[in-house]
Amino acid sequence: MNTTNSMNRRNWLKTTALFTGGLTMLPPAISRLQAAPVAPVASNSTAYANDFAIGPKLPVNLKARLFANENPFGPSPNAKKAIMDSMLTSYQYPIMKIPELEEKICTHEGITADMLMISSGSSPLLLGTAVSLLRDGGNVVTAETTYDDLPTRCEKVNAKWIKVPLTKDYAHDLDAMEKAITPDTKLVYVCNPNNPTGTIVDKDKLKAFCERVSQKTLVFVDEAYIDYLPDADETTLMSSVKKGQNIIVARTFSKVYGLAGLRIGYIVAQPATIAKLQPHTACSWAVLSAPAINGALASYQDKPYIQETVKKTMESRQFLYDTLKAEGYTYIPSHTNFVMFPLKMDGERFVEEMMKRGVGVRNWKMNDQHWCRISIGRMDEMQAFAAAFKELS
């Protein structure tokens, strides 16, 4: 893309009657038109595949795609219809749809629009957080092992990454994380439920932790998998944000809502925090597609569909548990749509051998032990995993 042309086009939009005379009347989502310094995107399939540690290319005979924590049951029927209907007006910019989604989220969560930022999945939001908070140095405190997108981005902008070992049950050690905070700590990151271990922390202890720590520094709570919990409404830190605490809560439509391929997610935080992140985060209509917005609008808080998706996920997860037990393997009890279990062979070799059999999984090395993280698939995918796994176990 020609940067000069892009900037001229954006400036032209800002100076039209719609974006000048009526700008003050529009919701905050439309007025966020700042250029955002985002990281370049890899342009080859090898780079994409390496993101999931699956090698340069997938086999033609892939029977089970179990490496990306996706919802294999897909979007809700309402979302599918909304996505298809959006094609009829796909020649239009989705200018008025973002405020509609913004209003829907704000109404449900009981927040104001200046506490919300919507973007194309979590990546731009994580990048914006890293750049805005740690570009001048400092450190970020996280668990080890956890989802490393945000701390990795922090390291790339000159920040130090302080890793705190998990508990013996592979959950966040909140006490140790609090002790690891220094005067240079600008961010504490908590992924709950945690990826890749699938564990959670006691909700009351987490809320108390965030209340204390947020008085010292910003706390980022990633709730990508919270919809898989039976008590999600009681576990979320949304209420802590509404109390005025210095916390960012991240949510995504990529998991239980089944919209990973459409890229849409959001964060909730104090208005001052949102304002600080805006210049560094791609968060306007220019980065969101009409199908993504319409799909999110139609599926947001679709309780019957969420309950059905979780039910089928739990059934497949129990099948996996039974398969592992039958082959003499243990596993970390999961609260999510993925399970981690220790391997009895080299992790990379295990992934390669499973891939030869048409089953894609991921491997980790944790506490000097090789592990597999398997995403929960449809029952036919889990059966394909079981057949391949029995040949190797």
Side-chain angles (χ1 to χ4, degrees), residues 68-309:
N69 292 354
E70 298 153 337
N71 172 7
F73 307 108
S76 71
N78 291 336
K80 290 178 182 177
K81 183 179 186 304
I83 291 166
M84 294 301 295
D85 289 347
S86 72
M87 294 294 99
L88 299 175
T89 54
S90 60
Y91 62 93
Q92 299 175 343
Y93 293 116
I95 293 171
M96 301 312 297
K97 284 294 184 179
I98 293 180
E100 188 178 344
L101 177 59
E102 186 176 63
E103 181 180 4
K104 197 168 187 178
I105 294 172
C106 287
T107 299
H108 175 76
E109 298 294 354
I111 60 174
T112 54
D114 57 358
M115 299 172 70
L116 176 69
M117 183 184 293
I118 304 173
S119 190
S120 54
S122 64
S123 293
L125 299 168
L126 296 172
L127 175 60
T129 301
V131 171
S132 63
L133 298 179
L134 292 126
R135 57 181 171 167
D136 297 322
N139 66 63
V140 55
V141 174
T142 78
E144 183 186 22
T145 304
T146 191
Y147 186 58
D148 63 7
D149 193 337
L150 178 55
T152 298
R153 293 172 188 273
C154 290
E155 280 193 315
K156 291 180 180 178
V157 293
N158 302 317
K160 181 181 178 182
W161 182 2
I162 298 177
K163 305 176 183 179
V164 179
L166 298 171
T167 67
K168 63 179 182 179
D169 297 322
Y170 305 104
H172 283 68
D173 189 336
L174 296 180
D175 293 335
M177 289 178 68
E178 188 169 358
K179 291 177 181 177
I181 295 171
T182 74
D184 292 328
T185 301
K186 294 184 179 179
L187 186 68
V188 175
Y189 175 77
V190 178
C191 185
N192 190 53
N194 187 39
N195 178 16
T197 62
T199 55
I200 57 173
V201 292
D202 178 83
K203 56 179 177 288
D204 293 328
K205 187 170 184 178
L206 177 59
K207 289 178 181 179
F209 168 87
C210 289
E211 183 174 6
R212 291 191 307 273
V213 172
S214 65
Q215 296 176 36
K216 306 173 187 177
T217 189
L218 182 64
V219 182
F220 191 114
V221 183
D222 190 337
E223 297 183 345
Y225 300 95
I226 199 165
D227 293 302
Y228 289 99
L229 300 181
D231 58 347
D233 291 339
E234 288 76 37
T235 302
T236 178
L237 268 291
M238 288 290 184
S239 61
S240 298
V241 179
K242 290 191 286 184
K243 290 177 181 177
Q245 294 176 22
N246 192 24
I247 299 170
I248 297 175
V249 174
R251 292 287 186 83
T252 182
F253 287 90
S254 295
K255 303 307 176 184
V256 80
Y257 290 106
L259 301 180
L262 293 183
R263 313 307 303 128
I264 185 163
Y266 62 92
I267 58 173
V268 173
Q270 300 308 316
T273 302
I274 296 294
K276 188 172 184 177
L277 267 55
Q278 280 178 10
H280 308 286
T281 308
C283 59
S284 74
W285 56 268
V287 298
L288 288 168
S289 70
I293 299 169
N294 280 273
L297 268 169
S299 59
Y300 183 65
Q301 295 303 313
D302 185 341
K303 295 297 185 183
Y305 175 73
I306 292 174
Q307 291 169 357
E308 180 62 22
T309 294

Side-chain angles (χ1 to χ4, degrees), residues 52-54 66-67 196 340-341 343 345-352 360-366 369-374:
F52 290 102
I54 55 174
L66 307 176
F67 52 73
M340 205 170 187
F341 65 92
L343 292 168
M345 62 187 295
D346 177 81
E348 290 186 7
R349 179 169 168 249
F350 178 77
V351 169
E352 291 173 1
V361 295
R362 286 195 63 180
N363 67 289
W364 257 264
K365 192 170 184 181
M366 184 171 66
Q369 165 68 48
H370 289 270
W371 296 75
C372 171
R373 190 201 69 185
I374 173 172

Side-chain angles (χ1 to χ4, degrees), residues 5-33:
N5 289 343
S6 176
M7 290 302 298
N8 288 340
R9 181 169 172 274
R10 185 178 290 108
N11 290 336
W12 175 81
L13 285 170
K14 285 184 176 181
T15 57
T16 61
L18 174 61
F19 287 88
T20 53
L23 188 59
T24 57
M25 300 173 62
L26 295 173
I30 296 182
S31 63
R32 297 171 189 151
L33 295 171

